[in-house]
Amino acid sequence: MSYLKAARQLPKKLLNQFPEEVSALSNGSPFLDVRSPIEYAKGKIPNSINLPILEDAERESVGKAYKQHGKKIAVEMGHNLVSGQVKLSRIQAWKNYVTQHPNVNLICWRGGLRSKIAQDWLAQSNVQVARITGGFKALRNCLIAILDAIALDNRTVYVIGGKTGSQKTVVIKRLNNSIDLEDLAQHRGSAFGAYIQKQPTPITFENELAVKLLTHQQQHIVLEDESKTIGRLAIPDALFKKMKIAPIALVKVPIEERVNHIYNEYVKEPSQAGASSEFLSQHYLQALDRIERRLGGDRHSKLTRIIKDAFSERAEIDHQDWITALLEDYYDPMYDYQIKQKESRIKFIGSPDEVTEYLKNLR
């Protein structure tokens, strides 16, 4: 997406405040982040790679020197720590990346000393690289402003509703006017929806979502109907307020198809990817424990027994038993109650294919 296209859908105040950042983010420029690994792990910019100028222990030592002796001593220590072969290897790693990504932007925390030193070292090797003057902090502030700006956005938000296992995510992935919140959050949204891998940090999730909103070129933004939180991550307030009043396209699927879809996604596919039966059993038993109070002791005990038996015997029918019981005893009654509160917003009801076509042809 070009800067000009992005500019048409953003408030002028935001464009005036973050022209450099909006340009880099909307044009899809990669970012070479020279912060330490621990800083990068707390939150990163989409399309970035971490090739630090200081490793974690080195940064900690320099930080202590700065507090105790001031900037001059700290800078000298940094140059001593990153010298000789260590310096050459880090410059070479940057050069290798820049060769493959010539439109890269250098960033550190505030676009200050570390990225400027990296830029200078590369220039000494006849490699010219652009630098975001405000660094990660400026990019982050820009992305927060984009998330807030959705409240004033003239694009219409639609949400896809439907009972658990109704293939809502399948519909999302078929559309070019959708944003897959669960994919960004690495979580399916329910008590049983945790992926095997960990969720991103809140900062990384928000940054990814903001870039998706910035570069979304359609008049309608289609999202899956979610609660405020997806796992441990929260949907930003401005977007969630729009979702709460958005028209709904409701997917309806027979329970047998829903059970089979859940079995494939939650049991068969993870098993084929290498997850052991013991791991999956513990993973879902822990999820079951999180909803014990809502299930009640008897149903919780019954489902615990069925899940243990299913994974120990590896019998597909047994998996269908616990999935069906969980839908009928927990998810479906809860969804029936929730959808009654939203009936006035339902604009279309159909199969996954029918809902896909409806949302593709929005006017």
Side-chain angles (χ1 to χ4, degrees):
M1 185 180 190
S2 70
Y3 172 78
L4 292 176
K5 287 182 178 178
R8 293 193 192 107
Q9 60 196 37
L10 292 175
K12 288 184 179 180
K13 181 179 178 181
L14 190 153
L15 292 170
N16 291 336
Q17 188 175 359
F18 301 107
E20 180 186 23
E21 292 78 14
V22 169
S23 178
L25 291 164
S26 60
N27 289 331
S29 301
F31 298 94
L32 200 171
D33 192 328
V34 297
R35 292 178 301 157
S36 65
I38 195 170
E39 291 175 287
Y40 187 78
K42 290 177 181 177
K44 61 184 180 179
I45 298 297
N47 202 22
S48 67
I49 186 173
N50 183 219
L51 296 172
I53 191 169
L54 292 172
E55 295 290 349
D56 291 332
E58 295 164 345
R59 175 177 171 269
E60 185 178 1
S61 297
V62 171
K64 287 179 181 178
Y66 184 89
K67 289 179 181 178
Q68 295 173 2
H69 306 292
K71 180 178 178 180
K72 182 178 179 182
I73 298 297
V75 171
E76 289 177 359
M77 175 180 283
H79 280 286
N80 289 332
L81 289 170
V82 185
S83 60
Q85 190 56 46
V86 173
K87 177 180 176 180
L88 291 175
S89 66
R90 291 183 190 174
I91 293 173
Q92 188 59 52
W94 299 336
K95 288 170 67 176
N96 292 343
Y97 189 75
V98 172
T99 299
Q100 298 173 14
H101 305 84
N103 60 331
V104 70
N105 288 280
L106 272 168
I107 58 171
C108 61
W109 170 233
R110 295 181 184 174
L113 191 59
R114 285 179 288 179
S115 60
K116 182 65 171 67
I117 290 173
Q119 187 182 47
D120 290 343
W121 286 355
L122 283 166
Q124 291 165 15
S125 298
N126 297 316
V127 178
Q128 304 300 321
V129 183
R131 180 170 65 98
I132 300 293
T133 53
F136 176 87
K137 186 175 182 181
L139 288 164
R140 170 68 176 155
N141 288 339
C142 173
L143 292 168
I144 290 172
I146 289 168
L147 292 175
D148 291 339
I150 191 67
L152 305 174
D153 203 307
N154 60 8
R155 291 173 292 182
T156 304
V157 171
Y158 275 75
V159 295
I160 301 174
K163 292 181 177 178
T164 303
S166 297
Q167 303 175 46
K168 301 184 291 294
T169 302
V170 172
V171 176
I172 285 284
K173 291 184 181 300
R174 290 174 178 172
L175 300 169
N176 66 359
N177 57 351
S178 67
I179 295 175
D180 191 343
L181 293 174
E182 293 184 358
D183 183 60
L184 295 179
Q186 291 294 287
H187 197 287
R188 300 181 188 91
S190 66
F192 279 73
Y195 287 7
I196 293 173
Q197 65 268 37
K198 291 183 179 180
Q199 289 188 268
T201 67
I203 292 172
T204 295
F205 169 67
E206 290 173 356
N207 289 349
E208 293 272 4
L209 176 56
V211 169
K212 291 287 186 182
L213 290 169
L214 173 66
T215 57
H216 189 86
Q217 299 181 52
Q218 308 299 319
Q219 179 57 35
H220 306 284
I221 302 174
V222 180
L223 307 164
E224 190 168 333
D225 196 10
E226 307 280 359
S227 61
K228 172 67 173 172
T229 56
I230 307 176
R232 59 177 178 76
L233 299 173
I235 298 172
D237 288 340
L239 180 60
F240 190 63
K241 286 177 181 177
K242 279 204 162 189
M243 292 172 65
K244 287 198 297 183
I245 61 172
I248 298 172
L250 196 65
V251 185
K252 281 211 168 182
V253 175
I255 190 167
E256 296 81 8
E257 290 184 31
R258 293 164 52 212
V259 169
N260 189 55
H261 179 72
I262 291 170
Y263 167 73
N264 287 329
E265 189 172 354
Y266 284 67
V267 180
K268 185 176 180 180
E269 291 173 9
S271 296
Q272 291 175 338
S276 69
S277 293
E278 182 180 359
F279 174 84
L280 292 174
S281 177
Q282 289 302 311
H283 186 67
Y284 294 133
L285 287 171
Q286 289 171 6
L288 188 67
D289 289 343
R290 289 194 287 271
I291 59 172
E292 179 178 3
R293 184 175 60 83
R294 295 181 182 178
L295 279 172
D298 290 343
R299 285 188 293 183
H300 177 268
S301 297
K302 173 188 172 184
L303 279 164
T304 298
R305 184 176 65 254
I306 297 174
I307 291 173
K308 286 181 176 179
D309 290 346
F311 280 103
S312 63
E313 297 174 7
R314 300 184 182 182
E316 184 173 332
I317 186 65
D318 289 333
H319 284 301
Q320 292 173 333
D321 283 349
W322 70 261
I323 293 169
T324 301
L326 195 59
L327 292 178
E328 293 179 342
D329 292 345
Y330 179 69
Y331 280 107
D332 286 2
M334 181 170 59
Y335 186 80
D336 288 340
Y337 172 79
Q338 292 172 346
I339 201 64
K340 281 184 180 179
Q341 319 304 312
K342 306 174 184 178
E343 282 182 337
S344 63
R345 293 164 48 202
I346 298 173
K347 304 301 179 185
F348 185 85
I349 301 174
S351 68
D353 288 343
E354 290 167 338
V355 170
T356 299
E357 287 305 306
Y358 171 73
L359 293 171
K360 275 183 178 178
N361 295 299
L362 290 172
R363 294 289 183 267

